Amino acid sequence: MKPFRLTRLIVFVLGAVLLLVFNEFFLHNLRWFIGGLIVLYGSLGILALMLAKVKPIYEGQGFLFFSVEILLGLTTLCFIKEYATVCVIWAVWSILRESVELEEIVERELHPSLAVFSGIESVAVIVLSIMLMIEPGEHHAMIHSYLLAVELVLAALIPVINHRLMPEKKGRDELL
């Protein structure tokens, strides 16, 4: 297992556990938590491109997507103060992230059994994200935070499992 993928697995699983244990704390500091998480995701994406020695790294949509993530996270951290606005940003970001996962399914980058599982998870996230956008508040944010804990674990586990099931396939998460 690549060191970056192993480190990501440990950090994301630890993050999921901390999110579950300190859920109320995270919900009361949602702006900092979500803004930081979005910056982290974007930064890890760009780091993965650099480690994969993609030349030039700014070619293709990956670099742009990760850069927009960092910009969105920094905007959330620096300028967004309303809880409801943070919820809407979180929901929109979740939908965008799921679009990338759905693209992996369509492009057949995932093993068929993982594709079904990932597809169901993506649809659930999108539906709950829409609910969070329609009614942004602490109740839906709490539900979304539990879902985020599951997503963190899956985001780190699926590439590892997929590599074991399809070692010859070099998908987007092969970088990670």
Side-chain angles (χ1 to χ4, degrees), residues 33 39-40 54 57 78 82 112 116 142 146 148 152 164 171 175:
F33 174 63
V39 170
L40 176 67
V54 173
I57 68 165
C78 297
E82 294 294 322
V116 169
M142 181 180 61
Y146 291 127
L148 177 59
L152 287 171
R164 299 257 188 239
L175 301 172

Side-chain angles (χ1 to χ4, degrees), residues 23-60:
N23 191 270
E24 216 169 288
F25 173 79
F26 286 117
L27 289 175
H28 286 97
N29 296 285
L30 194 63
R31 167 186 172 194
W32 303 107
F33 174 63
I34 294 303
L37 186 63
I38 296 172
V39 170
L40 176 67
Y41 260 78
S43 300
L44 288 176
I46 289 175
L47 179 62
L49 290 175
M50 291 185 325
L51 291 175
K53 298 180 177 82
V54 173
K55 298 287 184 205
I57 68 165
Y58 55 82
E59 200 169 86

Side-chain angles (χ1 to χ4, degrees), residues 5 28 34 46 51 60 73 77 81 89 94 106 115 123 143 163:
R5 194 182 302 148
H28 286 97
I34 294 303
I46 289 175
L51 291 175
L77 287 169
K81 293 181 177 29
I89 289 171
S94 293
V106 171
V123 169
I143 293 168
H163 181 69

